[in-house]
Amino acid sequence: MKKLTLFAALLLGALTVNAGDYKHSIGVNVGNQYGVSYKAFLFDNENLALQIDLGVRLQETSGSGKYKRGDASTFKFKSADFYTFEVNPNVLYQKEFFSFDGGKLSWFAGGGISLGLLGEYSLCSLKWDTWSYYWPDRVITDENDAKTVYGKFGFNAIGGVELKFTKIPLAISCDFRPGYGLGFWGKKVNGDKVSETVHFFDYEIAVGVRYCI
């Protein structure tokens, strides 16, 4: 019993030490992206951090693309639904600007890249060269048993605020990430190589909840 009480006291003491400031945190993201989130402060610097998010991103955006089967054709679209599974590391500068009895607020800003897999998506209101067409169906398909290879690359800025509780090891953040994205895929249809690249404005609004270590 005494050993259990001593262990509980040590654990409580460790949580209390880490409750105010922290080196590492791990948790989840919800919003445009759903997944896991990890954050660490670098080089014993309380203002410089690395945040890595891994998960599925759902978004609706607009942009332009190029479809190539023989001759290349460029098209523009007003809206599209993208589904990606990606990793998004960001380097952040973070600074506390307000504190109170139960916690402290910090702002942060920085940038990073995204790399992952582009899932099937739909183009709604498509403009192909000089004529318009409404295309509500999915674009990436396994036509004639063709196997699709697809991916996504992008870079983004990031800015937001974080609330760190002082009495419990918990941090809650909210951020906005505008940027540029490039989706690409390729396959063979009836022996012909078919490829497509899609350029689009990439954005995300995410809320993160992380346990501080």
Side-chain angles (χ1 to χ4, degrees):
M1 186 64 181
K2 290 182 179 180
K3 291 183 179 180
L4 183 60
T5 304
L6 179 61
F7 175 76
L10 291 174
L11 179 61
L12 181 60
L15 292 179
T16 303
V17 169
N18 290 323
D21 297 310
Y22 65 94
K23 296 288 186 180
H24 308 271
S25 62
I26 187 168
V28 296
N29 267 347
V30 296
N32 292 79
Q33 186 183 59
Y34 296 85
V36 296
S37 177
Y38 170 76
K39 185 175 181 179
F41 286 89
L42 305 174
F43 314 116
D44 292 325
N45 189 323
E46 63 180 10
N47 300 120
L48 185 63
L50 172 66
Q51 181 173 320
I52 303 175
D53 302 311
L54 174 67
V56 177
R57 178 180 294 190
L58 312 174
Q59 70 177 51
E60 182 176 332
T61 186
S62 61
S64 63
K66 180 173 288 187
Y67 177 86
K68 187 173 183 180
R69 185 175 183 178
D71 296 329
S73 299
T74 301
F75 62 87
K76 294 184 180 295
F77 52 90
K78 294 181 179 179
S79 64
D81 297 322
F82 291 87
Y83 307 86
T84 62
F85 179 77
E86 62 183 66
V87 59
N88 180 212
N90 288 276
V91 177
L92 310 173
Y93 179 83
Q94 183 163 321
K95 185 73 173 178
E96 178 184 343
F97 68 90
F98 179 76
S99 62
F100 56 98
D101 183 54
K104 63 179 182 179
L105 282 170
S106 303
W107 62 266
F108 57 85
I113 63 171
S114 57
L115 181 65
L117 301 177
L118 173 68
E120 291 189 348
Y121 61 92
S122 61
L123 295 179
C124 315
S125 187
L126 178 72
K127 185 176 182 181
W128 189 292
D129 292 336
T130 58
W131 52 274
S132 298
Y133 184 68
Y134 180 68
W135 192 352
D137 300 322
R138 298 201 181 274
V139 175
I140 300 179
T141 62
D142 288 331
E143 182 180 352
N144 296 328
D145 296 324
K147 299 301 180 183
T148 302
V149 178
Y150 47 88
K152 184 249 181 175
F153 172 78
F155 55 88
N156 63 274
I158 182 173
V161 293
E162 178 183 273
L163 169 61
K164 173 64 184 67
F165 296 97
T166 54
K167 296 182 180 180
I168 57 175
L170 190 68
I172 299 175
S173 63
C174 181
D175 62 71
F176 176 63
R177 310 179 196 188
Y180 162 82
L182 170 65
F184 52 90
W185 62 272
K187 63 183 178 181
K188 280 190 174 182
V189 178
N190 295 327
D192 295 333
K193 290 184 178 180
V194 179
S195 64
E196 183 175 345
T197 56
V198 180
H199 307 264
F200 53 92
F201 175 72
D202 194 25
Y203 70 93
E204 177 185 349
I205 299 175
V207 175
V209 180
R210 293 184 299 275
Y211 175 80
C212 302
I213 304 172

